[in-house]
Amino acid sequence: MKLALVLPLALAAFIGTARAEDGDDIREASKAEAETFNTRVYAGAPGNKAYACFVRRYDADHLARHPKQKVASMKLLMSAELDKEDKELHHSFRLGFRYRHRSGDFDSSGSCNHAVFTKAGNEVRLGCGVDCEGGGIGVALSKDDKSAIVRLERVRVWQNNKPDDDAEHSLTAGADDKIFRLDRTDNSECASLVTDRKELAALRHK
């Protein structure tokens, strides 16, 4: 599916999710507001290419307090790249996680639209989607920019090292799997989510 089609679909899906979750309309951020948010996400001006890694490994105490939580650990790699043709900054995401009661590593990936604000203006988010109706996630930041707030209803995921047709699943929101707070960390922590050698080298130098 072409990027031109993916982004509007991702935005539409994200708007629907945001309204369903919060009962709140959203508006697209202005160019200045989007640039400010981009600087927050990537801990500095993104330039031509930038990455940001967020990770959370839930300890036994947390999982005991959230018995319905399915996810035991999660990684989020956000990336931005300046398109040479349209001169716009394009965002994408890679999500990796492990289930609490299921073996194996699972991951998902897709593209993101421009930043949007909740109507109250108290949070700005990126809506990110998996192509061909694969659901998606919303990504916001904590007030101190040290954590990413990931919201989801459903996102298509695959198990590592298995053919897509045989391993396709969806991570769906449950009572304790709707919102995840992941801590900012060194980009190397998200290296396992990158398979392209050139991109892996670029990631390690950022």
Side-chain angles (χ1 to χ4, degrees):
M1 185 177 293
K2 294 182 179 179
L3 185 62
L5 295 176
V6 172
L7 292 182
L9 288 173
L11 179 58
F14 177 63
I15 288 174
T17 299
R19 287 176 176 165
E21 282 183 354
D22 304 325
D24 210 359
D25 291 331
I26 60 174
R27 66 171 177 84
E28 189 166 356
S30 68
K31 183 176 181 179
E33 289 170 332
E35 288 177 351
T36 297
F37 183 65
N38 293 340
T39 299
R40 293 177 60 202
V41 171
Y42 300 104
N48 292 330
K49 197 160 192 174
Y51 299 93
C53 176
F54 303 88
V55 175
R56 181 78 178 271
R57 297 175 180 89
Y58 294 97
D59 59 25
D61 180 63
H62 175 95
L63 293 175
R65 288 184 286 108
H66 298 83
K68 295 182 179 180
Q69 182 171 321
K70 294 174 287 188
V71 172
S73 64
M74 182 175 283
K75 295 181 179 182
L76 172 68
L77 178 65
M78 297 298 300
S79 59
E81 185 168 8
L82 187 67
D83 188 283
K84 293 180 180 180
E85 293 184 3
D86 64 16
K87 306 301 181 182
E88 294 284 339
L89 195 68
H90 293 275
H91 302 271
S92 60
F93 81 97
R94 292 184 179 90
L95 188 72
F97 71 95
R98 288 186 174 182
Y99 282 108
R100 183 176 183 175
H101 300 301
R102 188 175 178 179
S103 61
D105 295 313
F106 292 80
D107 57 75
S108 185
S109 62
S111 48
C112 307
N113 60 55
H114 298 293
V116 294
F117 276 93
T118 57
K119 187 176 181 181
N122 57 356
E123 186 175 79
V124 58
R125 307 173 191 166
L126 282 172
C128 304
V130 180
D131 64 1
C132 300
E133 300 183 357
I137 61 174
V139 180
L141 288 176
S142 60
K143 290 183 180 180
D144 60 7
D145 298 341
K146 293 181 179 180
S147 302
I149 311 300
V150 178
R151 289 176 169 81
L152 68 87
E153 287 294 325
R154 180 187 69 86
V155 63
R156 181 181 296 143
V157 300
W158 290 268
Q159 190 167 6
N160 286 353
N161 303 318
K162 290 191 177 181
D164 289 356
D165 292 342
D166 296 335
E168 184 180 325
H169 303 278
S170 287
L171 173 61
T172 55
D176 290 328
D177 293 284
K178 291 182 179 179
I179 302 176
F180 299 90
R181 185 185 181 101
L182 313 179
D183 300 322
R184 186 187 295 275
T185 188
D186 189 88
N187 288 341
S188 62
E189 286 285 317
C190 288
S192 62
L193 300 176
V194 180
T195 56
D196 182 85
R197 290 184 178 181
K198 289 184 179 180
E199 188 170 11
L200 187 58
L203 173 71
R204 288 172 171 166
H205 284 86
K206 288 291 183 179

